[in-house]
Amino acid sequence: MLPKLLTYLVLALVAGSGAGAGAARLHRTPANLTASANPVYIWPLPKNFTSGTRTLAVDPDLALDPQGPGGAAAAVAEAFERYRSLIFAPWAHAARPASAKYDVAKLTVVVASADETLELGVDESYTIYVAASGGVNSIVGGATIEANTIYGAIRGLETFSQLCVFNYDTKNVEVHNAPWYIQDEPRFAFRGLLLDTSRHYLPVDVIKQVIDSMSFAKLNVLHWHIIDEQSFPLEIPSYPNLWKGSYSKLERYTVEDAHYIVSYAKKRGIHVMAEIDVPGHGESWGNGYPKLWPSISCTEPLDVSSNFTFEVLSGILSDMRKIFPFGLFHLGGDEVNTGCWNITPHVKQWLDDRNMTTKDAYKFFVLKAQEIAINLNWIPVNWEETFNSFGENLNPLTVVHNWLGPGVCPKVVAKGLRCIMSNQGAWYLDHLDVPWEDVYTTEPLAGINDTEQQKLVLGGEVCMWGETADTSDVQQTIWPRAAAAAERMWSPLEAISVQDQTIVLARLHYFRCLLNHRGIAAAPVTNYYARRPPIHPGSCFIQ
């Protein structure tokens, strides 16, 4: 993939060196600037790129030219149509003059593999070359995206769409600072967003909109926190009464809904990692099956002494395995207050018979849940309390999910386990007083200097807990701060670390406005509290 485009680039450089004053010239630029010393309005920032000084017009009848074994995949064609509708106004085709000539009339997408398997670590790399077609100094006309997988091609389409800007004077879509050469790939394999649908139900269309917005920022894991103590909205065929834990019959997800969300996300290169948080966040389970509660006055943690508890857990996981193909499954394990186990007679007796403390029982429950998940060919993910309490007993496959504060991932990887970073002080989006700067500068690899241990950090995740977020404000709370974390997880550390904050802010303003133009209700960037509406009139680009 790469050598072909590098050849084009070298030829273009050679051709440009002998061209006249009006020709495009490529320059190797700092990671945050174009050749004209303006901020690069691509978010997240690509790994490597060169740019020029020309402006190219893009044909509203832009054609897709699929190449390679994967170029003809339906997912590529569908993604192209999605992005074409984002780039061009609905009237663009009708307004196209019959005699008009455009610099970019075709988008060639070359994909090396037709394999549509979406798994953690799938190759998301891509290269782009955009130049005028038919020009005197043109080596490659039009635009080309090359990728090893369809998911890399989808990431490339997002970047190409961000290069395309509508000119209100000419009513043309243009690419500025061309020719462009971009070689890009993510820094971390896991770039997540947690979405909580237990504290407040979110309709399927809202989840779809969140998935769309994630793809715009190149996030690739939707951590679906479906169930918690407040509600159990997901249909579980093996235990249908669990649905009685939903807030109402109109606030539920069918099996078909869940399949559809997974399929919708896959077409955008996004994994769906589901979570059931056991044993400490399971009160809603008992609305349908009261036997899961230790007693009426002790409704969580779930009853560790009952075989029925683990039968239900096994049924839930077996049903969910048919829906969620992603290799990781989140089993929770946080905030387990075991006090009422000790004062519930039959649980206390069970503990005494086994000479177990409540801490032992907590460990027993977590390890039993891990065993069930692993037998279903899942890699278990658990919140960090499990590591802090009995890390030496966790299955070696375990991925530990940090949230309480910094400094956990260094301890996790030192023990040979993998880690996901979600430090609540910076990456919990329900913390409305955390500014975008703190989100942007939080580093998943902080405190980890050993390169082998760094590889055990899968990435990170921003968390949209739903206690105060529903359809009315969820997108405003997620964006634009989630984009700050998205660039931290995608772009090279050496590139984003040297950017001047004023340039980052200008770029983030631009991306927030792009989200708004695409129908995403992203809040102003610089308000003291996240999701607060504008406090005065003004441009989208300075709020």
Side-chain angles (χ1 to χ4, degrees), residues 327-363:
L328 275 60
F329 189 91
H330 209 300
L331 292 166
D334 64 314
E335 298 178 325
V336 181
N337 183 356
T338 59
C340 78
W341 279 347
N342 254 335
I343 60 174
T344 304
H346 75 276
V347 179
K348 174 62 172 167
Q349 185 64 52
W350 184 88
L351 293 171
D352 291 344
D353 289 346
R354 289 158 181 77
N355 195 28
M356 291 172 68
T357 65
T358 55
K359 182 178 179 180
D360 293 332
Y362 168 37
K363 176 177 70 175

Side-chain angles (χ1 to χ4, degrees), residues 336-463:
V336 181
N337 183 356
T338 59
C340 78
W341 279 347
N342 254 335
I343 60 174
T344 304
H346 75 276
V347 179
K348 174 62 172 167
Q349 185 64 52
W350 184 88
L351 293 171
D352 291 344
D353 289 346
R354 289 158 181 77
N355 195 28
M356 291 172 68
T357 65
T358 55
K359 182 178 179 180
D360 293 332
Y362 168 37
K363 176 177 70 175
F364 171 83
F365 199 117
V366 168
L367 297 183
K368 184 76 170 176
Q370 286 196 338
E371 179 185 347
I372 295 169
I374 291 168
N375 286 339
L376 290 167
N377 199 30
W378 261 324
I379 294 169
V381 184
N382 284 99
W383 294 110
E384 70 172 77
E385 286 97 323
T386 59
F387 175 80
N388 297 337
S389 298
F390 44 86
E392 68 280 1
N393 299 116
L394 291 172
N395 189 284
L397 292 173
T398 304
V399 177
V400 177
H401 195 167
N402 150 254
W403 75 277
L404 286 170
V408 175
C409 281
K411 296 176 184 177
V412 170
V413 299
K415 296 294 185 180
L417 296 176
R418 290 174 291 181
C419 193
I420 297 167
M421 195 282 290
S422 289
N423 174 10
Q424 65 171 333
W427 282 15
Y428 266 34
L429 299 173
D430 57 314
H431 292 197
L432 302 181
D433 59 345
V434 176
W436 73 268
E437 296 94 332
D438 289 359
V439 180
Y440 192 82
T441 55
T442 296
E443 171 52 45
L445 297 183
I448 306 172
N449 299 316
D450 183 276
T451 54
E452 292 304 309
Q453 291 182 4
Q454 288 178 349
K455 295 175 184 177
L456 296 175
V457 179
L458 299 182
E461 176 180 289
V462 285
C463 298

